[in-house]
Structure formats: structure tokens, C-alpha cells
Amino acid sequence: MPDTPELAGALVDRLSDVDERIADAARAAGRDPAALTRIVVTKFHPVSLVRELYALGVRDVGENRQQEFSAKVAEAGDLTDLHWHFIGQAQTKKARAIRAAASAVHSVDRAKLADALHAAAGPDAPVLDVLLQVNLTDDPGRGGVAPVDLEGLATHTAALPSLRVRGIMAVAPLDVAPEAAFAQLPGLADTVRAVVPDADWISAGMTADFAEAIAAGATHLRIGSAITGPRPLHG
């Protein structure tokens, strides 16, 4: 929590440093830095940090866990133009709570979850932006739909009127070079766009690999500790 001038200054410096690195990586890839969305992941940090980030111009924040996500959205409800991205693995039983809090859900990886998010829409609920999470590994135990099943999931999800398929999300595995893992992204994005032509979001890249993700076409970067600093101790 940046509750002193020193800590607040450190947050400013980290945010500025990451934004400069994003801009450099974008220009190196021949891309416009302004076309990228930087999402600050505030997992385990207090809502006071979200407010500090908001004061510095941050408008996109991300959370991994539903309970923490819902609590922070409620506590910061006065920040009406803040976009809340749910980026963690989601249980269908928590779909209603996630939908109530989210501006976008990045982790739709199965038809049952898409169905649950759709069923959670009230009669006046706005359309929810969703991304289809793709597994970049051969391990079926990891989160994400297998690439071979991506087109089917896109077709299923696009047919649900309360959801808007915006693109794909992926996480680079730890045991593969990020360049190699992210090389799959353009083809996977094309698979979804064959079903939903305007689904042009690619959510990929975190603190350690966002430059490689930008080079591979990422549009949304999920960056935590490089901006927020070390996570507080938690139980």
C-alpha cells in the first residue's frame, strides 16, 4: 500500500518504467504502443493500491480469484470508469459472482463456463466481453481449451447473446521459451476470427514475457509485480 510519499513515488516509477518498456517493445515490433491495453494485476494487494493506480491514470485492472475480485469491485464501486478484468480460472458455480463484477472475463475455456456466464445475465445485463483461454501446452491439466477444440468453443460461445467473444487469452508455459509458445497466437487468433471476425483481442504477456507477447501480436498485457511491487503477505 503506497501510503507514504516514498512508496507512492516507487509506484509511479514502476508504472512509468513498464510503460516505457511496453512502448519500446511495440515500436521494435512495428506496432503502435497506443493500440495496447496494459492491465495491472492487483492480486493480494489492498483496494487502496487500486485507488492509487487509478489516480495515476490506470483504468484496467485484473484479478485472479473470484472472492477477492468481487470484494475489490464492491469497495471501489465509485470508480465507475475502471475496467475490471477477471483473468483466473473460473468455476461454473462462481459464474454469477464473476459476471456481476467483471467488465471482461479472459478465462472462458469450456462450453459449460460460457453457458454459466450467459445464464447469470439478468434481463437488463450488459453484454459481457469474454476471451477464450487456449492451452499452449500438451498437458490437459493446465487451464485452457485445446487448440483443436478452439473453433468449436468459439462457435458455441458466439451463439450466446449475452456474451461477446473478443478474442483469445493464453499463458506461456514455464518450460518453453515464450517466443516459441507465443508463436502459436496468430494462428489461434485467426481460428477465432473465422467464427467472429471482429474478435481481435489477444490477451498474453505478463511481467516476465510481455515483450515477446507484443512481438507475437498481443493486444492486452497482464502485468502484476513489475508495477505493483512484491505481493503482501497473505494467509
Side-chain angles (χ1 to χ4, degrees):
M1 174 179 174
D3 53 0
T4 68
E6 293 79 10
L7 291 174
L11 180 63
V12 171
D13 291 344
R14 289 193 298 267
L15 184 64
S16 176
D17 175 67
V18 167
D19 283 347
E20 288 179 12
R21 290 162 57 196
I22 289 171
D24 288 345
R27 286 189 288 265
R31 301 181 60 196
D32 179 3
L36 303 177
T37 299
R38 176 252 296 126
I39 300 165
V40 183
V41 181
T42 56
K43 180 179 179 181
F44 297 134
H45 288 278
V47 74
S48 56
L49 180 66
V50 175
R51 293 186 177 279
E52 291 282 347
L53 289 164
Y54 183 89
L56 295 174
V58 171
R59 291 298 181 270
D60 292 270
V61 297
E63 289 289 335
N64 294 71
R65 304 187 306 167
Q66 176 271 315
Q67 189 171 358
E68 183 178 3
F69 182 58
S70 297
K72 284 183 180 173
V73 172
E75 289 182 61
D78 56 306
L79 306 180
T80 55
D81 59 339
L82 193 61
H83 303 292
W84 292 91
H85 300 258
F86 185 80
I87 61 176
Q89 294 305 117
Q91 297 174 288
T92 55
K93 67 181 181 181
K94 296 185 177 180
R96 186 171 300 278
I98 291 170
R99 172 149 201 160
S103 306
V105 175
H106 290 229
S107 49
V108 174
D109 60 358
R110 57 200 186 280
K112 285 185 178 179
L113 178 57
D115 290 342
L117 289 168
H118 173 59
D124 299 317
V127 172
L128 176 66
D129 288 337
V130 299
L131 292 96
L132 308 181
Q133 183 177 354
V134 188
N135 186 351
L136 299 182
T137 77
D138 295 324
D139 178 4
R142 290 180 62 92
V145 64
V148 69
D149 297 321
L150 177 60
E151 183 177 359
L153 180 60
T155 300
H156 181 93
T157 307
L160 301 172
S162 78
L163 304 182
R164 180 182 180 190
V165 176
R166 300 306 304 262
I168 61 170
M169 185 270 259
V171 179
L174 296 176
D175 56 349
V176 178
E179 298 95 330
F182 291 149
Q184 303 176 61
L185 294 178
L188 295 168
D190 286 345
T191 296
V192 174
R193 281 198 296 268
V195 179
V196 184
D198 63 348
D200 56 1
W201 293 13
I202 298 178
S203 172
M206 299 187 289
T207 290
D209 57 23
F210 65 77
E212 292 87 349
I214 290 169
T219 62
H220 289 64
L221 314 170
R222 311 179 307 271
I223 302 175
S225 59
I227 294 172
T228 63
R231 293 170 178 165
L233 295 176
H234 59 280

PDB file of all heavy atoms in Angstrom, residues 117-152:
ATOM      1  N   LEU A 117     -21.935 -18.340 -17.477  1.00  0.00           N
ATOM      2  CA  LEU A 117     -21.848 -16.880 -17.537  1.00  0.00           C
ATOM      3  C   LEU A 117     -23.063 -16.297 -18.253  1.00  0.00           C
ATOM      4  O   LEU A 117     -23.593 -15.255 -17.848  1.00  0.00           O
ATOM      5  CB  LEU A 117     -20.560 -16.458 -18.239  1.00  0.00           C
ATOM      6  CG  LEU A 117     -19.263 -16.686 -17.473  1.00  0.00           C
ATOM      7  CD1 LEU A 117     -18.061 -16.500 -18.389  1.00  0.00           C
ATOM      8  CD2 LEU A 117     -19.155 -15.746 -16.272  1.00  0.00           C
ATOM      9  N   HIS A 118     -23.495 -16.957 -19.289  1.00  0.00           N
ATOM     10  CA  HIS A 118     -24.688 -16.496 -20.010  1.00  0.00           C
ATOM     11  C   HIS A 118     -25.933 -16.608 -19.127  1.00  0.00           C
ATOM     12  O   HIS A 118     -26.749 -15.679 -19.067  1.00  0.00           O
ATOM     13  CB  HIS A 118     -24.860 -17.303 -21.284  1.00  0.00           C
ATOM     14  CG  HIS A 118     -26.139 -17.037 -22.007  1.00  0.00           C
ATOM     15  ND1 HIS A 118     -26.484 -15.779 -22.476  1.00  0.00           N
ATOM     16  CD2 HIS A 118     -27.185 -17.848 -22.332  1.00  0.00           C
ATOM     17  CE1 HIS A 118     -27.672 -15.836 -23.068  1.00  0.00           C
ATOM     18  NE2 HIS A 118     -28.117 -17.078 -22.986  1.00  0.00           N
ATOM     19  N   ALA A 119     -26.066 -17.734 -18.424  1.00  0.00           N
ATOM     20  CA  ALA A 119     -27.234 -17.943 -17.566  1.00  0.00           C
ATOM     21  C   ALA A 119     -27.285 -16.936 -16.425  1.00  0.00           C
ATOM     22  O   ALA A 119     -28.361 -16.652 -15.887  1.00  0.00           O
ATOM     23  CB  ALA A 119     -27.228 -19.367 -17.016  1.00  0.00           C
ATOM     24  N   ALA A 120     -26.119 -16.389 -16.058  1.00  0.00           N
ATOM     25  CA  ALA A 120     -26.055 -15.440 -14.942  1.00  0.00           C
ATOM     26  C   ALA A 120     -26.484 -14.034 -15.344  1.00  0.00           C
ATOM     27  O   ALA A 120     -26.583 -13.150 -14.490  1.00  0.00           O
ATOM     28  CB  ALA A 120     -24.631 -15.403 -14.377  1.00  0.00           C
ATOM     29  N   ALA A 121     -26.733 -13.821 -16.611  1.00  0.00           N
ATOM     30  CA  ALA A 121     -27.129 -12.480 -17.067  1.00  0.00           C
ATOM     31  C   ALA A 121     -28.568 -12.188 -16.657  1.00  0.00           C
ATOM     32  O   ALA A 121     -29.471 -12.972 -16.926  1.00  0.00           O
ATOM     33  CB  ALA A 121     -26.994 -12.385 -18.576  1.00  0.00           C
ATOM     34  N   GLY A 122     -28.753 -11.068 -16.012  1.00  0.00           N
ATOM     35  CA  GLY A 122     -30.103 -10.618 -15.711  1.00  0.00           C
ATOM     36  C   GLY A 122     -30.747 -10.036 -16.952  1.00  0.00           C
ATOM     37  O   GLY A 122     -30.098  -9.853 -17.997  1.00  0.00           O
ATOM     38  N   PRO A 123     -32.042  -9.693 -16.878  1.00  0.00           N
ATOM     39  CA  PRO A 123     -32.761  -9.193 -18.058  1.00  0.00           C
ATOM     40  C   PRO A 123     -32.195  -7.901 -18.627  1.00  0.00           C
ATOM     41  O   PRO A 123     -32.312  -7.643 -19.826  1.00  0.00           O
ATOM     42  CB  PRO A 123     -34.185  -9.005 -17.550  1.00  0.00           C
ATOM     43  CG  PRO A 123     -34.080  -8.959 -16.057  1.00  0.00           C
ATOM     44  CD  PRO A 123     -32.917  -9.816 -15.692  1.00  0.00           C
ATOM     45  N   ASP A 124     -31.576  -7.083 -17.770  1.00  0.00           N
ATOM     46  CA  ASP A 124     -31.024  -5.815 -18.243  1.00  0.00           C
ATOM     47  C   ASP A 124     -29.501  -5.795 -18.223  1.00  0.00           C
ATOM     48  O   ASP A 124     -28.887  -4.722 -18.299  1.00  0.00           O
ATOM     49  CB  ASP A 124     -31.554  -4.662 -17.380  1.00  0.00           C
ATOM     50  CG  ASP A 124     -33.067  -4.549 -17.438  1.00  0.00           C
ATOM     51  OD1 ASP A 124     -33.619  -4.679 -18.551  1.00  0.00           O
ATOM     52  OD2 ASP A 124     -33.697  -4.353 -16.375  1.00  0.00           O
ATOM     53  N   ALA A 125     -28.890  -6.965 -18.113  1.00  0.00           N
ATOM     54  CA  ALA A 125     -27.428  -7.023 -18.011  1.00  0.00           C
ATOM     55  C   ALA A 125     -26.783  -6.604 -19.324  1.00  0.00           C
ATOM     56  O   ALA A 125     -27.244  -6.985 -20.408  1.00  0.00           O
ATOM     57  CB  ALA A 125     -26.990  -8.436 -17.647  1.00  0.00           C
ATOM     58  N   PRO A 126     -25.706  -5.828 -19.251  1.00  0.00           N
ATOM     59  CA  PRO A 126     -24.985  -5.506 -20.481  1.00  0.00           C
ATOM     60  C   PRO A 126     -24.291  -6.751 -21.027  1.00  0.00           C
ATOM     61  O   PRO A 126     -24.023  -7.708 -20.295  1.00  0.00           O
ATOM     62  CB  PRO A 126     -23.956  -4.465 -20.019  1.00  0.00           C
ATOM     63  CG  PRO A 126     -23.761  -4.743 -18.560  1.00  0.00           C
ATOM     64  CD  PRO A 126     -25.079  -5.231 -18.054  1.00  0.00           C
ATOM     65  N   VAL A 127     -24.001  -6.736 -22.302  1.00  0.00           N
ATOM     66  CA  VAL A 127     -23.263  -7.837 -22.908  1.00  0.00           C
ATOM     67  C   VAL A 127     -21.866  -7.901 -22.280  1.00  0.00           C
ATOM     68  O   VAL A 127     -21.220  -6.867 -22.056  1.00  0.00           O
ATOM     69  CB  VAL A 127     -23.173  -7.653 -24.432  1.00  0.00           C
ATOM     70  CG1 VAL A 127     -22.251  -8.678 -25.060  1.00  0.00           C
ATOM     71  CG2 VAL A 127     -24.565  -7.740 -25.048  1.00  0.00           C
ATOM     72  N   LEU A 128     -21.419  -9.102 -21.957  1.00  0.00           N
ATOM     73  CA  LEU A 128     -20.138  -9.296 -21.283  1.00  0.00           C
ATOM     74  C   LEU A 128     -19.064  -9.667 -22.298  1.00  0.00           C
ATOM     75  O   LEU A 128     -19.233 -10.617 -23.076  1.00  0.00           O
ATOM     76  CB  LEU A 128     -20.263 -10.407 -20.237  1.00  0.00           C
ATOM     77  CG  LEU A 128     -18.981 -10.794 -19.495  1.00  0.00           C
ATOM     78  CD1 LEU A 128     -18.476  -9.646 -18.624  1.00  0.00           C
ATOM     79  CD2 LEU A 128     -19.214 -12.052 -18.645  1.00  0.00           C
ATOM     80  N   ASP A 129     -17.953  -8.936 -22.281  1.00  0.00           N
ATOM     81  CA  ASP A 129     -16.809  -9.283 -23.117  1.00  0.00           C
ATOM     82  C   ASP A 129     -16.114 -10.512 -22.549  1.00  0.00           C
ATOM     83  O   ASP A 129     -15.814 -10.557 -21.347  1.00  0.00           O
ATOM     84  CB  ASP A 129     -15.807  -8.130 -23.164  1.00  0.00           C
ATOM     85  CG  ASP A 129     -16.298  -6.953 -23.981  1.00  0.00           C
ATOM     86  OD1 ASP A 129     -17.168  -7.146 -24.852  1.00  0.00           O
ATOM     87  OD2 ASP A 129     -15.812  -5.827 -23.745  1.00  0.00           O
ATOM     88  N   VAL A 130     -15.843 -11.498 -23.401  1.00  0.00           N
ATOM     89  CA  VAL A 130     -15.131 -12.699 -22.961  1.00  0.00           C
ATOM     90  C   VAL A 130     -14.029 -13.033 -23.947  1.00  0.00           C
ATOM     91  O   VAL A 130     -14.118 -12.748 -25.148  1.00  0.00           O
ATOM     92  CB  VAL A 130     -16.067 -13.916 -22.788  1.00  0.00           C
ATOM     93  CG1 VAL A 130     -17.133 -13.639 -21.743  1.00  0.00           C
ATOM     94  CG2 VAL A 130     -16.706 -14.332 -24.106  1.00  0.00           C
ATOM     95  N   LEU A 131     -12.980 -13.646 -23.407  1.00  0.00           N
ATOM     96  CA  LEU A 131     -11.911 -14.194 -24.224  1.00  0.00           C
ATOM     97  C   LEU A 131     -11.841 -15.692 -23.986  1.00  0.00           C
ATOM     98  O   LEU A 131     -12.156 -16.170 -22.890  1.00  0.00           O
ATOM     99  CB  LEU A 131     -10.563 -13.543 -23.888  1.00  0.00           C
ATOM    100  CG  LEU A 131     -10.458 -12.076 -24.287  1.00  0.00           C
ATOM    101  CD1 LEU A 131     -10.779 -11.191 -23.086  1.00  0.00           C
ATOM    102  CD2 LEU A 131      -9.070 -11.752 -24.811  1.00  0.00           C
ATOM    103  N   LEU A 132     -11.419 -16.406 -25.006  1.00  0.00           N
ATOM    104  CA  LEU A 132     -11.323 -17.853 -24.929  1.00  0.00           C
ATOM    105  C   LEU A 132      -9.880 -18.223 -24.587  1.00  0.00           C
ATOM    106  O   LEU A 132      -8.954 -17.919 -25.358  1.00  0.00           O
ATOM    107  CB  LEU A 132     -11.743 -18.479 -26.260  1.00  0.00           C
ATOM    108  CG  LEU A 132     -13.110 -18.005 -26.786  1.00  0.00           C
ATOM    109  CD1 LEU A 132     -13.432 -18.707 -28.094  1.00  0.00           C
ATOM    110  CD2 LEU A 132     -14.217 -18.235 -25.755  1.00  0.00           C
ATOM    111  N   GLN A 133      -9.698 -18.838 -23.427  1.00  0.00           N
ATOM    112  CA  GLN A 133      -8.351 -19.198 -22.995  1.00  0.00           C
ATOM    113  C   GLN A 133      -7.914 -20.482 -23.689  1.00  0.00           C
ATOM    114  O   GLN A 133      -8.602 -21.498 -23.650  1.00  0.00           O
ATOM    115  CB  GLN A 133      -8.275 -19.380 -21.485  1.00  0.00           C
ATOM    116  CG  GLN A 133      -6.852 -19.688 -21.013  1.00  0.00           C
ATOM    117  CD  GLN A 133      -6.724 -19.797 -19.513  1.00  0.00           C
ATOM    118  OE1 GLN A 133      -7.667 -19.540 -18.780  1.00  0.00           O
ATOM    119  NE2 GLN A 133      -5.548 -20.190 -19.047  1.00  0.00           N
ATOM    120  N   VAL A 134      -6.730 -20.424 -24.295  1.00  0.00           N
ATOM    121  CA  VAL A 134      -6.196 -21.559 -25.043  1.00  0.00           C
ATOM    122  C   VAL A 134      -4.987 -22.130 -24.308  1.00  0.00           C
ATOM    123  O   VAL A 134      -4.114 -21.388 -23.833  1.00  0.00           O
ATOM    124  CB  VAL A 134      -5.783 -21.146 -26.469  1.00  0.00           C
ATOM    125  CG1 VAL A 134      -5.426 -22.371 -27.294  1.00  0.00           C
ATOM    126  CG2 VAL A 134      -6.894 -20.359 -27.150  1.00  0.00           C
ATOM    127  N   ASN A 135      -4.925 -23.436 -24.210  1.00  0.00           N
ATOM    128  CA  ASN A 135      -3.804 -24.140 -23.589  1.00  0.00           C
ATOM    129  C   ASN A 135      -2.678 -24.256 -24.614  1.00  0.00           C
ATOM    130  O   ASN A 135      -2.841 -24.893 -25.653  1.00  0.00           O
ATOM    131  CB  ASN A 135      -4.281 -25.524 -23.130  1.00  0.00           C
ATOM    132  CG  ASN A 135      -3.229 -26.274 -22.335  1.00  0.00           C
ATOM    133  OD1 ASN A 135      -2.079 -25.860 -22.248  1.00  0.00           O
ATOM    134  ND2 ASN A 135      -3.626 -27.392 -21.765  1.00  0.00           N
ATOM    135  N   LEU A 136      -1.535 -23.649 -24.328  1.00  0.00           N
ATOM    136  CA  LEU A 136      -0.402 -23.685 -25.242  1.00  0.00           C
ATOM    137  C   LEU A 136       0.508 -24.881 -25.003  1.00  0.00           C
ATOM    138  O   LEU A 136       1.594 -24.963 -25.592  1.00  0.00           O
ATOM    139  CB  LEU A 136       0.418 -22.390 -25.117  1.00  0.00           C
ATOM    140  CG  LEU A 136      -0.305 -21.089 -25.458  1.00  0.00           C
ATOM    141  CD1 LEU A 136       0.646 -19.906 -25.347  1.00  0.00           C
ATOM    142  CD2 LEU A 136      -0.954 -21.142 -26.832  1.00  0.00           C
ATOM    143  N   THR A 137       0.099 -25.815 -24.138  1.00  0.00           N
ATOM    144  CA  THR A 137       0.909 -26.984 -23.827  1.00  0.00           C
ATOM    145  C   THR A 137       0.161 -28.253 -24.237  1.00  0.00           C
ATOM    146  O   THR A 137      -1.003 -28.214 -24.641  1.00  0.00           O
ATOM    147  CB  THR A 137       1.210 -27.061 -22.322  1.00  0.00           C
ATOM    148  OG1 THR A 137       0.051 -27.552 -21.625  1.00  0.00           O
ATOM    149  CG2 THR A 137       1.581 -25.701 -21.757  1.00  0.00           C
ATOM    150  N   ASP A 138       0.853 -29.378 -24.077  1.00  0.00           N
ATOM    151  CA  ASP A 138       0.224 -30.677 -24.325  1.00  0.00           C
ATOM    152  C   ASP A 138      -0.361 -31.268 -23.055  1.00  0.00           C
ATOM    153  O   ASP A 138      -0.841 -32.404 -23.065  1.00  0.00           O
ATOM    154  CB  ASP A 138       1.247 -31.652 -24.913  1.00  0.00           C
ATOM    155  CG  ASP A 138       1.737 -31.214 -26.283  1.00  0.00           C
ATOM    156  OD1 ASP A 138       0.918 -30.659 -27.048  1.00  0.00           O
ATOM    157  OD2 ASP A 138       2.925 -31.422 -26.581  1.00  0.00           O
ATOM    158  N   ASP A 139      -0.319 -30.522 -21.957  1.00  0.00           N
ATOM    159  CA  ASP A 139      -0.815 -31.006 -20.667  1.00  0.00           C
ATOM    160  C   ASP A 139      -2.287 -30.636 -20.515  1.00  0.00           C
ATOM    161  O   ASP A 139      -2.617 -29.464 -20.334  1.00  0.00           O
ATOM    162  CB  ASP A 139       0.004 -30.389 -19.533  1.00  0.00           C
ATOM    163  CG  ASP A 139      -0.474 -30.810 -18.154  1.00  0.00           C
ATOM    164  OD1 ASP A 139      -1.398 -31.650 -18.062  1.00  0.00           O
ATOM    165  OD2 ASP A 139       0.093 -30.310 -17.154  1.00  0.00           O
ATOM    166  N   PRO A 140      -3.195 -31.610 -20.579  1.00  0.00           N
ATOM    167  CA  PRO A 140      -4.623 -31.291 -20.480  1.00  0.00           C
ATOM    168  C   PRO A 140      -5.026 -30.793 -19.089  1.00  0.00           C
ATOM    169  O   PRO A 140      -6.126 -30.268 -18.921  1.00  0.00           O
ATOM    170  CB  PRO A 140      -5.303 -32.622 -20.810  1.00  0.00           C
ATOM    171  CG  PRO A 140      -4.299 -33.666 -20.458  1.00  0.00           C
ATOM    172  CD  PRO A 140      -2.959 -33.056 -20.761  1.00  0.00           C
ATOM    173  N   GLY A 141      -4.122 -30.922 -18.107  1.00  0.00           N
ATOM    174  CA  GLY A 141      -4.434 -30.452 -16.767  1.00  0.00           C
ATOM    175  C   GLY A 141      -4.278 -28.952 -16.598  1.00  0.00           C
ATOM    176  O   GLY A 141      -4.728 -28.388 -15.597  1.00  0.00           O
ATOM    177  N   ARG A 142      -3.645 -28.312 -17.561  1.00  0.00           N
ATOM    178  CA  ARG A 142      -3.496 -26.861 -17.488  1.00  0.00           C
ATOM    179  C   ARG A 142      -4.760 -26.173 -17.970  1.00  0.00           C
ATOM    180  O   ARG A 142      -5.550 -26.729 -18.723  1.00  0.00           O
ATOM    181  CB  ARG A 142      -2.299 -26.399 -18.322  1.00  0.00           C
ATOM    182  CG  ARG A 142      -0.953 -26.804 -17.741  1.00  0.00           C
ATOM    183  CD  ARG A 142       0.172 -26.322 -18.618  1.00  0.00           C
ATOM    184  NE  ARG A 142       0.197 -24.870 -18.702  1.00  0.00           N
ATOM    185  CZ  ARG A 142       0.908 -24.071 -17.903  1.00  0.00           C
ATOM    186  NH1 ARG A 142       1.644 -24.600 -16.941  1.00  0.00           N
ATOM    187  NH2 ARG A 142       0.891 -22.766 -18.059  1.00  0.00           N
ATOM    188  N   GLY A 143      -4.950 -24.948 -17.548  1.00  0.00           N
ATOM    189  CA  GLY A 143      -6.126 -24.201 -17.966  1.00  0.00           C
ATOM    190  C   GLY A 143      -6.103 -23.902 -19.447  1.00  0.00           C
ATOM    191  O   GLY A 143      -5.039 -23.720 -20.048  1.00  0.00           O
ATOM    192  N   GLY A 144      -7.260 -23.867 -20.047  1.00  0.00           N
ATOM    193  CA  GLY A 144      -7.363 -23.505 -21.449  1.00  0.00           C
ATOM    194  C   GLY A 144      -7.910 -24.631 -22.294  1.00  0.00           C
ATOM    195  O   GLY A 144      -7.705 -25.815 -22.011  1.00  0.00           O
ATOM    196  N   VAL A 145      -8.605 -24.252 -23.338  1.00  0.00           N
ATOM    197  CA  VAL A 145      -9.133 -25.220 -24.287  1.00  0.00           C
ATOM    198  C   VAL A 145      -7.994 -25.696 -25.192  1.00  0.00           C
ATOM    199  O   VAL A 145      -7.066 -24.934 -25.500  1.00  0.00           O
ATOM    200  CB  VAL A 145     -10.272 -24.583 -25.122  1.00  0.00           C
ATOM    201  CG1 VAL A 145      -9.764 -23.430 -25.970  1.00  0.00           C
ATOM    202  CG2 VAL A 145     -10.978 -25.613 -25.971  1.00  0.00           C
ATOM    203  N   ALA A 146      -8.024 -26.941 -25.589  1.00  0.00           N
ATOM    204  CA  ALA A 146      -7.032 -27.444 -26.536  1.00  0.00           C
ATOM    205  C   ALA A 146      -7.219 -26.733 -27.870  1.00  0.00           C
ATOM    206  O   ALA A 146      -8.350 -26.479 -28.298  1.00  0.00           O
ATOM    207  CB  ALA A 146      -7.189 -28.949 -26.712  1.00  0.00           C
ATOM    208  N   PRO A 147      -6.129 -26.399 -28.561  1.00  0.00           N
ATOM    209  CA  PRO A 147      -6.263 -25.689 -29.835  1.00  0.00           C
ATOM    210  C   PRO A 147      -7.212 -26.377 -30.817  1.00  0.00           C
ATOM    211  O   PRO A 147      -7.958 -25.693 -31.535  1.00  0.00           O
ATOM    212  CB  PRO A 147      -4.829 -25.656 -30.369  1.00  0.00           C
ATOM    213  CG  PRO A 147      -3.989 -25.603 -29.125  1.00  0.00           C
ATOM    214  CD  PRO A 147      -4.711 -26.503 -28.153  1.00  0.00           C
ATOM    215  N   VAL A 148      -7.238 -27.697 -30.814  1.00  0.00           N
ATOM    216  CA  VAL A 148      -8.104 -28.416 -31.744  1.00  0.00           C
ATOM    217  C   VAL A 148      -9.579 -28.184 -31.451  1.00  0.00           C
ATOM    218  O   VAL A 148     -10.425 -28.315 -32.335  1.00  0.00           O
ATOM    219  CB  VAL A 148      -7.774 -29.924 -31.724  1.00  0.00           C
ATOM    220  CG1 VAL A 148      -8.171 -30.554 -30.399  1.00  0.00           C
ATOM    221  CG2 VAL A 148      -8.427 -30.657 -32.894  1.00  0.00           C
ATOM    222  N   ASP A 149      -9.887 -27.797 -30.210  1.00  0.00           N
ATOM    223  CA  ASP A 149     -11.281 -27.570 -29.817  1.00  0.00           C
ATOM    224  C   ASP A 149     -11.663 -26.097 -29.788  1.00  0.00           C
ATOM    225  O   ASP A 149     -12.795 -25.751 -29.415  1.00  0.00           O
ATOM    226  CB  ASP A 149     -11.529 -28.177 -28.427  1.00  0.00           C
ATOM    227  CG  ASP A 149     -11.348 -29.694 -28.420  1.00  0.00           C
ATOM    228  OD1 ASP A 149     -11.749 -30.335 -29.402  1.00  0.00           O
ATOM    229  OD2 ASP A 149     -10.803 -30.223 -27.424  1.00  0.00           O
ATOM    230  N   LEU A 150     -10.721 -25.228 -30.176  1.00  0.00           N
ATOM    231  CA  LEU A 150     -10.967 -23.787 -30.063  1.00  0.00           C
ATOM    232  C   LEU A 150     -12.099 -23.324 -30.973  1.00  0.00           C
ATOM    233  O   LEU A 150     -12.960 -22.535 -30.553  1.00  0.00           O
ATOM    234  CB  LEU A 150      -9.687 -23.017 -30.383  1.00  0.00           C
ATOM    235  CG  LEU A 150      -9.780 -21.492 -30.370  1.00  0.00           C
ATOM    236  CD1 LEU A 150     -10.221 -20.974 -28.999  1.00  0.00           C
ATOM    237  CD2 LEU A 150      -8.433 -20.878 -30.773  1.00  0.00           C
ATOM    238  N   GLU A 151     -12.125 -23.796 -32.187  1.00  0.00           N
ATOM    239  CA  GLU A 151     -13.171 -23.338 -33.114  1.00  0.00           C
ATOM    240  C   GLU A 151     -14.562 -23.705 -32.597  1.00  0.00           C
ATOM    241  O   GLU A 151     -15.494 -22.900 -32.664  1.00  0.00           O
ATOM    242  CB  GLU A 151     -12.964 -23.934 -34.496  1.00  0.00           C
ATOM    243  CG  GLU A 151     -13.975 -23.433 -35.530  1.00  0.00           C
ATOM    244  CD  GLU A 151     -13.726 -23.972 -36.921  1.00  0.00           C
ATOM    245  OE1 GLU A 151     -12.754 -24.729 -37.110  1.00  0.00           O
ATOM    246  OE2 GLU A 151     -14.503 -23.619 -37.829  1.00  0.00           O
ATOM    247  N   GLY A 152     -14.686 -24.914 -32.055  1.00  0.00           N
ATOM    248  CA  GLY A 152     -15.976 -25.333 -31.514  1.00  0.00           C
ATOM    249  C   GLY A 152     -16.406 -24.485 -30.335  1.00  0.00           C
ATOM    250  O   GLY A 152     -17.586 -24.121 -30.217  1.00  0.00           O
TER     251      GLY A 152
END
